[in-house]
Structures are given as structure tokens and as C-alpha cells.
Amino acid sequence: NAGVTQTPKFQVLKTGQSMTLQCAQDMNHEYMSWYRQDPGMGLRLIHYSVGAGITDQGEVPNGYNVSRSTTEDFPLRLLSAAPSQTSVYFCASSLRGNTAEAFFGQGTRLTVV
Amino acid sequence: AQKITQTQPGMFVQEKEAVTLDCTYDTSDQSYGLFWYKQPSSGEMIFLIYQGSYDEQNATEGRYSLNFQKARKSANLVISASQLGDSAMYFCAMREGRAGGTSYGKLTFGQGTILTVHP
């Protein structure tokens, strides 16, 4: 069981470039989400999805797009990278509900220069 | 207002001693879940323990226990018999939301506490 797989693990972008962070889970989880982790800020929710075809914004959605065409995949797109988007990004999945433990990917360390 | 507050940016403990990491939360929902995650220096997020808002007993998982005080809205993590491998960042998190709503199950994190275990 692979769990939550994130790619790539490291990425350097130039300002203005676009890219997609990939996230896939094989646990048939309804709920998937993207977080960014910055020093002293904890993990902040970017976007989340409660099922295929349904997405919504989290706390810090600006500059990011998501889509959920399948239960398994939840890619995060950076449309025009900015230095403020330098961060560590985590994808997580879980069953939906307040008792559900979230399973995390290994994270992507993104640097925008 | 912060939904999850961890007031201790850093904590130090001697090996084999117990340590308490503080977490307070804010919600108007009756049904919610509280979680603790560990993030070692390698970066992965490791689930430690869960407490439901309706659970009458404090949750325990091996050396981890959660001191849940609902009236005070606190969910402190207690690590007994600390080990050098416990040195890591620890996050408190909460899931809330009304069943059936689109935000049901959203997970909110605190800022984290860095725990250092000294030999």
C-alpha cells in the first residue's frame, strides 16, 4: 500500500513559471487537501476536496488552482510562481468526518527564485 | 481568532522524564476531533493520537496520552519516559464542521512546538 504519494520531492522554479505538484492516494479516501508549511506558521490549508468534482478554498488559496477529476488524484497548480510561494507543500488524504486521521505525503520543498 | 493555539514554541526535557505539550482550541461545534502529529527533522508527518469531543476517557497510545479538558478547551499531549527519538516538531490539529456540510472534516493546525530531548 503506497498511501499518499507526492511528486516531486524538490523543485526550484523561476519567478513567473508554472508547475503542477502531483498527489495520488490509493486508500479510496474521499477527502484530500493541500497544505503549505512555513516557519512559525504551522500548516495552512490551501485547497481541499471532499470528493471527485468537488473542491473548495482553504485559508491561503491565492496563486494556486486545484481540480479533482478522480478519487485518487488531487494535483496542485501554481499558475505564476512567486518568491512568496517558497515553502514546503504537503498533500493529505482521509476519510471524511471529524474522527478521520489524515495521512500525509512526504512533502515537496519548493523554492521560487 | 486562532482555532488552535500552541503557546510553547520550544520545550526541553531530560531523557526518561515526562513532558506536556500544550494545546488549546476554539470551536462552537459540539462534534469535533483533536489530533497530534509529530514531524521529525526528516520532514514527514506522523500521526500520534486522536481524541473525540464525545470521548469520556482520555486517549492513550503507548507513551502518548492526551489530557483532554473539554470545559477549558484544552488537549495537551503528554509524553512519558521521553526518548532521544522524541526530539521533533509536534502539531496539534482539530477537525470540525457539521456533518453533510462541504467543510465537514477540515483539519486546522496549530503553529507547532519543537521538543528537544537531552541525554
Side-chain angles (χ1 to χ4, degrees):
Chain A
N1 227 352
V4 180
T5 303
Q6 264 184 259
T7 56
K9 291 186 179 176
F10 300 95
Q11 184 71 47
V12 178
L13 287 179
K14 292 183 179 178
T15 298
Q17 285 185 318
S18 63
M19 78 160 294
T20 299
L21 306 185
Q22 301 291 346
C23 177
Q25 54 93 7
D26 61 359
M27 298 173 282
N28 203 30
H29 284 167
E30 307 146 286
Y31 197 96
M32 295 187 75
S33 50
W34 278 100
Y35 294 87
R36 60 177 288 172
Q37 182 180 13
D38 303 293
M41 307 285 286
L43 278 73
R44 292 182 293 169
L45 184 64
I46 304 172
H47 286 285
Y48 65 98
S49 168
V50 299
I54 306 170
T55 64
D56 205 348
Q57 296 181 351
E59 182 185 352
V60 287
N62 292 340
Y64 308 95
N65 273 0
V66 292
S67 60
R68 183 110 177 257
S69 55
T70 67
T71 300
E72 295 77 21
D73 299 298
F74 191 45
L76 178 72
R77 296 183 190 85
L78 280 71
L79 307 173
S80 177
S84 61
Q85 293 179 304
T86 293
S87 187
V88 179
Y89 291 84
F90 285 97
C91 177
S93 77
S94 69
L95 295 171
R96 195 173 170 202
N98 289 343
T99 64
E101 167 199 347
F103 293 80
F104 284 82
Q106 292 296 306
T108 297
R109 185 172 293 276
L110 175 68
T111 303
V112 182
V113 298
Chain B
Q2 290 276 5
K3 290 209 169 193
I4 296 284
T5 302
Q6 295 179 254
T7 58
Q8 306 154 315
M11 288 286 286
F12 296 89
V13 66
Q14 208 69 26
E15 195 178 8
K16 299 181 185 177
E17 291 186 348
V19 63
T20 298
L21 306 184
D22 294 341
C23 173
T24 58
Y25 61 92
D26 182 27
T27 181
S28 56
D29 287 339
Q30 297 301 308
S31 174
Y32 52 89
L34 297 157
F35 302 80
W36 278 90
Y37 284 84
K38 173 184 178 182
Q39 186 179 45
S41 58
S42 52
E44 70 267 32
M45 296 288 287
I46 302 168
F47 166 73
L48 294 179
I49 196 167
Y50 160 78
Q51 178 84 42
S53 58
Y54 293 118
D55 295 341
E56 294 184 353
Q57 304 244 342
N58 286 342
T60 60
E61 289 285 348
R63 294 186 299 111
Y64 304 107
S65 62
L66 201 153
N67 184 359
F68 181 46
Q69 299 192 31
K70 196 169 181 177
R72 294 186 177 184
K73 293 189 175 178
S74 74
N76 298 338
L77 177 70
V78 180
I79 305 175
S80 63
S82 297
Q83 302 172 354
L84 296 178
D86 293 334
S87 293
M89 174 78 87
Y90 289 80
F91 290 102
C92 178
M94 176 173 64
R95 279 195 186 276
E96 55 178 340
R98 298 180 187 279
T102 57
S103 64
Y104 184 52
K106 277 173 62 176
L107 193 60
T108 303
F109 284 83
Q111 305 94 317
T113 296
I114 300 175
L115 176 66
T116 303
V117 181
H118 290 301

